């Protein structure tokens, strides 16, 4: 491929993944009360890591001393970025840390709001949990399908998207997911994002809703009339159009954002001023785009569920998992009063808080229930025959892929 065409295609992929990369750190930084410098750093690190890890993923090289049995990377055009699946769990953890006093609450103009809490970011926890994922990657596809069949993974993915739409997407669309969402009558957060913003309005104001709708409908219009390359970057185009309209109307506090898309991912992160521009995106614009983005996660989960045979066993597992998952979504505080420990034992308090986090996170509790039932509930006779046929087909595909890789390796050695 000519280098010019490769650069154009690479830039197109960078645009397509941009919105998904900047949304998680912006949302997480907002929940932790970070200042602009810390928010800027989180966005920059997200972009740099995504660029470097995507290069590794697309390069594909064998792990030493494994006789080319295990590889790092796919060798395909596969991007690696920040994950939305951690947001719901992280939000539950942040709520607990602010509630028990680990993270500070500050009072501004009579309104209690979250203070900066970098120690709640959970870097050590994330690093430790990543070891589990690395270990699971060495399991065979057959084993993984037995542990995590579509009825389990589909349920989890559906609830991840649905919870993000409610906790972040729609909340930002209305003006912001912070303290202004409760619409206090007085104080710093009587208006969104706060009373000092250049064009502050109450949460849920029709002008905020309209601004977010403009970004949302831009994505739909691009799908109708856009070229294939425009469709790949429809999320970013929604952000750009929303910001172009928001700028002259004084919704943006800072320099123009119309020149945001001007560098590839790593360069985005290195240049602090460019990564900082993303923080100037108005919450309704971000909300309109992320609502669509999070809903596509739910749709992906429904697609995974469509692979189920929907036997009686599958229906029981799905219903049992969604009982807790949907219940959590609709009544978010149902598990808040199960454990009311108020003693001085920090270890016990931490353990009980961990249980509450699991019970109050829709996709976590649903995934655990579905996994347990999948491992213990007797299989239907008909479904056993179908699973055996599917496994034979998968094994045949993998055998064919292995033969092709061996042929390619042989050709390379001969050359």
């Amino acid at each position: 491929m000519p280098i010019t065409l490769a650069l154009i295609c690479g830039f197109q992929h960078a645009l397509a993944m941009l919105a998904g990369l900047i949304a998680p750190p912006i949302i997480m930084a907002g929940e932790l009360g970070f200042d602009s410098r810390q928010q800027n750093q989180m966005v920059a690190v997200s972009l740099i890591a995504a660029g470097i890890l995507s290069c590794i993923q697309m390069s594909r090289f064998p792990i030493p001393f494994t006789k080319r049995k295990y590889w790092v990377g796919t060798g395909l055009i596969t991007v690696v970025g920040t994950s939305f699946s951690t947001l719901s769990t992280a939000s539950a953890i942040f709520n607990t840390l602010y509630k028990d006093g680990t993270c500070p609450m500050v009072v501004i103009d009579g309104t209690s709001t979250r203070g900066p809490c970098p120690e709640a970011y959970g870097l050590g926890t994330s690093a430790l949990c990543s070891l589990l994922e690395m270990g699971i990657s060495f399991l065979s596809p057959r084993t993984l399908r037995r542990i995590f069949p579509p009825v389990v993974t589909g349920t989890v993915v559906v609830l991840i998207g649905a919870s993000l739409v409610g906790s972040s997407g729609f909340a930002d669309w209305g003006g912001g997911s912070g303290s202004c969402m409760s619409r206090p009558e007085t104080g710093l957060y009587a208006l969104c994002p706060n009373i000092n913003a250049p064009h502050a309005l109450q949460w849920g104001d029709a002008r905020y809703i309209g601004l977010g709708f403009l970004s949302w409908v831009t994505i739909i219009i691009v799908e109708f009339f856009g070229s294939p390359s425009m469709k790949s970057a429809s999320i970013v185009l929604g952000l750009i159009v929303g910001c172009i309209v928001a700028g002259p109307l004084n919704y943006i506090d800072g320099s123009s954002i119309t020149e945001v898309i001007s560098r590839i991912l790593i360069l985005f992160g290195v240049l602090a001023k460019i990564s900082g521009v993303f923080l100037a995106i108005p919450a309704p614009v971000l909300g309109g785009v992320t609502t669509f983005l999070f809903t596509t996660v739910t749709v992906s989960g429904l697609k995974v569920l469509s692979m189920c045979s929907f036997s009686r066993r599958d229906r029981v597992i799905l219903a049992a998992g969604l009982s807790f998952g949907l219940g959590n979504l609709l009544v978010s505080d149902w598990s808040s009063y199960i454990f009311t420990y108020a003693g001085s034992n920090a270890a016990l308090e931490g353990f009980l808080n961990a249980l509450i986090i699991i019970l109050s996170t829709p996709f976590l509790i649903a995934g655990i229930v579905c996994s347990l039932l999948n491992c213990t509930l007797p299989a239907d006779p008909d479904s056993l025959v179908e699973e055996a046929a599917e496994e034979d087909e998968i094994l045949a595909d993998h055998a064919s892929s292995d033969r092709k890789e061996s042929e390619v390796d042989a050709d390379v050695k001969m050359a």
Side-chain angles (χ1 to χ4, degrees), residues 398-410:
H398 281 288
S400 176
S401 300
D402 292 339
R403 285 195 299 270
K404 290 180 180 179
E405 287 186 0
S406 299
E407 293 172 359
V408 170
D409 291 340

Side-chain angles (χ1 to χ4, degrees), residues 186-210:
T186 60
L188 180 64
Y189 298 103
L191 302 176
C192 289
N194 58 66
I195 59 175
N196 298 322
H199 197 124
L201 302 168
Q202 275 195 314
W203 189 89
D205 189 279
R207 284 164 286 186
Y208 277 159
I209 303 298

Side-chain angles (χ1 to χ4, degrees), residues 345-397:
N345 191 328
L348 178 58
E349 183 180 8
F351 175 73
L352 296 178
N353 285 339
L355 292 180
I356 293 175
I357 290 170
I358 293 173
L359 291 172
S360 62
T361 305
F363 77 89
L364 269 182
I365 183 62
I368 291 172
V369 170
C370 288
S371 296
L372 290 176
L373 289 177
N374 177 66
C375 294
T376 57
L377 197 64
D380 295 334
D382 294 338
S383 63
L384 288 175
V385 177
E386 294 179 2
E387 289 178 3
E390 289 178 359
E391 289 177 359
D392 291 340
E393 183 178 350
I394 292 171
L395 291 174
D397 290 340

